[in-house]
Amino acid sequence: MRKLDRLISRAEEVLIGLLILSASFILFANVIARYVFNDGFAWAEELVRYQIVWMVLLGASVAARQGIHIGIDILRRFSPPLMAKWIELLVHAVSIAFCLFLVVYGFQLTEQTHRFGQVSSALQAPMWIVQLAIPVGALLMGIRFTQHFFRTLLGREQASAHLDQIG
């Protein structure tokens, strides 16, 4: 399981890096084309916008993995240890439920868009590919919140965080 987790983590980080790199290159090339040659690429801004959508949703999974998601930190800090653990479990459970909601409705939206054959205006690319970022990102986030939930439940959250910082 640990190897699969590392593989998914690495894939997220590599994909985000490639998206940032290609978006930067596309925007730079479009600026040069627009201001040097007086003719930009009509599709560039749209493609970068869709790349940002994917970056944000994949980045949310990375944030969930690193434990930097929104939480009720002040309640946990000033609560007795047992109550703090229950608050942490509740926050993770609500996060998992929200991610499950996003996965289900994201797939429904993606499937409906695919069925209708909606395409983007400039690229004429299938919009379901862009919208697929919602359920994919939510699924990855849900996996991360589930990992945190069980680590907290088993009392391994602090040890795991310490090992992540060392390794």
Side-chain angles (χ1 to χ4, degrees), residues 59-109:
S61 175
V62 172
R65 175 172 41 95
Q66 295 176 351
I68 55 176
H69 57 86
I70 295 174
I72 307 173
D73 199 40
I74 194 157
L75 283 176
R76 194 185 67 207
R77 285 183 188 212
F78 294 109
S79 298
L82 184 60
M83 182 182 268
K85 181 177 179 175
W86 282 105
I87 291 169
E88 187 87 15
L89 289 170
L90 178 64
V91 168
H92 292 317
V94 169
S95 299
I96 292 166
F98 179 71
C99 289
L100 183 61
F101 171 82
L102 281 179
V103 168
V104 170
Y105 288 103
F107 272 125
Q108 288 178 355
L109 173 69

Side-chain angles (χ1 to χ4, degrees), residues 13-56:
E13 291 167 359
V14 167
L15 188 54
I16 291 169
L18 289 172
L19 287 168
I20 290 171
L21 186 64
S22 67
S24 299
F25 177 75
I26 290 167
L27 285 175
F28 179 74
N30 195 38
V31 167
I32 296 298
R34 188 175 293 156
Y35 292 106
V36 174
F37 302 109
N38 254 354
D39 189 26
F41 306 116
W43 49 268
E45 291 175 20
E46 185 176 284
L47 177 58
V48 170
R49 185 177 319 123
Y50 298 147
Q51 287 177 312
I52 290 170
V53 168
W54 273 93
M55 280 186 262
V56 166

Side-chain angles (χ1 to χ4, degrees), residues 117-139:
Q118 185 179 353
V119 295
S120 64
S121 58
L123 287 170
Q124 293 298 298
M127 284 302 294
W128 68 268
I129 294 172
V130 177
Q131 293 172 343
L132 192 60
I134 297 167
V136 168
L139 178 64

